Amino acid sequence: MKKRGRTILVTGAAGFIGSHLCEHFLGRGDRVIGIDNFITGRIENIDHLFKDSGFSFVRADVTNFLHVPGRLDAVLHFASPASPVDYARYPIPTLKVGALGTHKALGLAKAKGALFMLASTSEVYGDPQVNPQPETYWGNVNPIGPRGVYDEAKRFAEAMAMAYQRYHRMQVRIVRIFNTFGPRMRKRDGRAVPNFITQALRGTPITVFGKGRQTRSLCYISDLVDGISRLVDSNADSPVNIGNPHEVTMLELAQTIRRLAGSRSKIVHRPLPVDDPQVRRPDISVARKLLSWKPKVSLEDGLKSTIAYFKA
Ligand code: UDP
């Protein structure tokens, strides 16, 4: 896809990742049309974008038919509740936006002759029996557990995106996003990073689930956005992992956040959620090779910026 003056539609534009993507593409001189229904997105995330004449916004649920007048060069489908707490709270909207919303967004891209990008997830690998996870791993997902609403919707979405690519010969990109953090996450989205930072800053107990031996690999938002932008501009026609391979246990994460926040919070243990993946780490060989991408921001630097955001 040519690199300047494109028109890009972003679903989930008022979300954490969506809002950073809108900002990125506007900064590159593209026009951006944002869509969000504000289930988990927030107007504060995009307020500052309205002063850019290249930005427009439609409040809508992408589960329903989307009419967008004029030309579109790309449709980036990022709408979905994305934290385990959110998709437990909104199980049916999560299934619908992953399944019906992906269908509608693909249909829109097809009608416009636009490139389609699906925001997929490391959750397609479930509780993985292979670590790190390469794109060729098929995963270990419980379809009927509490995470199934998200995991299976995203797996269905990948299947549908690939079918549109094969059958309708559309340009399709699939990004499998691993744990990402940074400014504009909601304090109460329930994920480890915002929970631990909020708790550390308030001096209340830091809640580590289980023994805290489970691992995650955390990518800073600016690195993720760079990877996604390169993927949009690439020819990669099958899924690509984007994430930071630096793997830490949740207990280490809690201790690091407590230290960086200068906090004296106690660390307390709470029951491990059902089907909580025990390990997670991206194999990023494909992104390195096809996109010449690798993350640049260290966990500590990213956490410092995020702590500063939560303080403010
Ligand atoms: N977690 C935790 N304490 C919290 C929130 C989460 O120990 O207050 C753990 C959770 O059990 C999981 C990990 O942190 O093992 C990452 O959870 P998160 O919700 O951030 O995202 P996930 O990777 O599970 O989608």
Side-chain angles (χ1 to χ4, degrees), residues 118-175:
L118 173 68
S120 186
T121 166
S122 54
E123 283 285 326
V124 300
Y125 303 122
D127 186 4
Q129 289 165 330
V130 171
N131 197 39
Q133 296 81 54
E135 288 84 349
T136 47
Y137 178 51
W138 291 355
N140 177 38
V141 172
N142 174 4
I144 57 167
R147 303 173 87 100
V149 294
Y150 184 66
D151 302 10
E152 296 294 2
K154 291 292 189 182
R155 288 169 68 99
F156 175 86
E158 286 200 5
M160 175 156 290
M162 292 304 291
Y164 268 66
Q165 169 168 273
R166 293 188 183 116
Y167 187 75
H168 292 304
R169 309 219 169 277
M170 274 173 60
Q171 294 282 315
V172 165
R173 307 281 173 267
I174 298 176
V175 54

Side-chain angles (χ1 to χ4, degrees), residues 84 87 123 147 179 190-193 195-196 199 207-209 214 216 250 272-273 276-277 280:
Y87 47 78
E123 283 285 326
R147 303 173 87 100
N179 294 68
R191 282 187 273 211
V193 170
N195 271 9
F196 294 171
Q199 293 161 343
T207 54
V208 168
F209 298 163
Q214 69 277 31
R216 294 293 186 273
M250 290 305 97
L272 196 63
D276 200 82
R280 182 181 287 155

Side-chain angles (χ1 to χ4, degrees), residues 85-106:
V85 169
D86 286 337
Y87 47 78
R89 192 179 296 150
Y90 306 109
I92 294 167
T94 301
L95 281 159
K96 286 172 75 178
V97 75
L100 310 179
T102 301
H103 183 224
K104 293 289 182 287
L106 274 162

Side-chain angles (χ1 to χ4, degrees), residues 223-237:
D223 283 330
L224 177 79
V225 167
D226 178 38
I228 288 172
S229 181
R230 286 168 191 253
L231 182 55
V232 167
D233 294 340
S234 77
N235 300 317
D237 58 4

Side-chain angles (χ1 to χ4, degrees), residues 1-6 8 25 28-30 229 233-234:
M1 191 166 67
K2 77 178 172 55
K3 293 191 181 161
R4 292 231 152 240
R6 308 169 291 191
I8 297 183
F25 287 109
R28 285 184 39 161
D30 296 317
S229 181
D233 294 340
S234 77

Side-chain angles (χ1 to χ4, degrees), residues 33 49 51 136 153 169 265 271 293 304:
I33 304 170
L49 300 180
K51 60 180 185 293
T136 47
R169 309 219 169 277
S265 287
W293 175 86
K304 282 179 199 158

Side-chain angles (χ1 to χ4, degrees), residues 190-300:
R191 282 187 273 211
V193 170
N195 271 9
F196 294 171
I197 294 180
T198 311
Q199 293 161 343
L201 291 176
R202 288 194 184 129
T204 56
I206 299 180
T207 54
V208 168
F209 298 163
K211 297 205 167 73
R213 288 197 200 120
Q214 69 277 31
T215 67
R216 294 293 186 273
S217 308
L218 299 152
C219 186
Y220 191 61
I221 182 68
S222 57
D223 283 330
L224 177 79
V225 167
D226 178 38
I228 288 172
S229 181
R230 286 168 191 253
L231 182 55
V232 167
D233 294 340
S234 77
N235 300 317
D237 58 4
S238 55
V240 178
N241 289 340
I242 298 285
N244 190 319
H246 176 75
E247 184 177 9
V248 294
T249 68
M250 290 305 97
L251 186 58
E252 281 162 1
L253 179 68
Q255 288 162 341
T256 306
I257 289 176
R258 183 173 60 177
R259 173 168 53 79
L260 295 175
S263 165
R264 287 158 62 178
S265 287
K266 280 191 304 192
I267 291 180
V268 297
H269 294 270
R270 295 281 175 268
L272 196 63
V274 175
D275 294 339
D276 200 82
Q278 286 309 289
V279 291
R280 182 181 287 155
R281 176 184 174 191
D283 179 331
I284 59 165
S285 324
V286 172
R288 280 178 182 271
K289 185 163 163 232
L290 293 186
L291 314 178
S292 306
W293 175 86
K294 64 174 187 325
K296 299 192 186 84
V297 182
S298 71
L299 177 61
E300 291 214 0

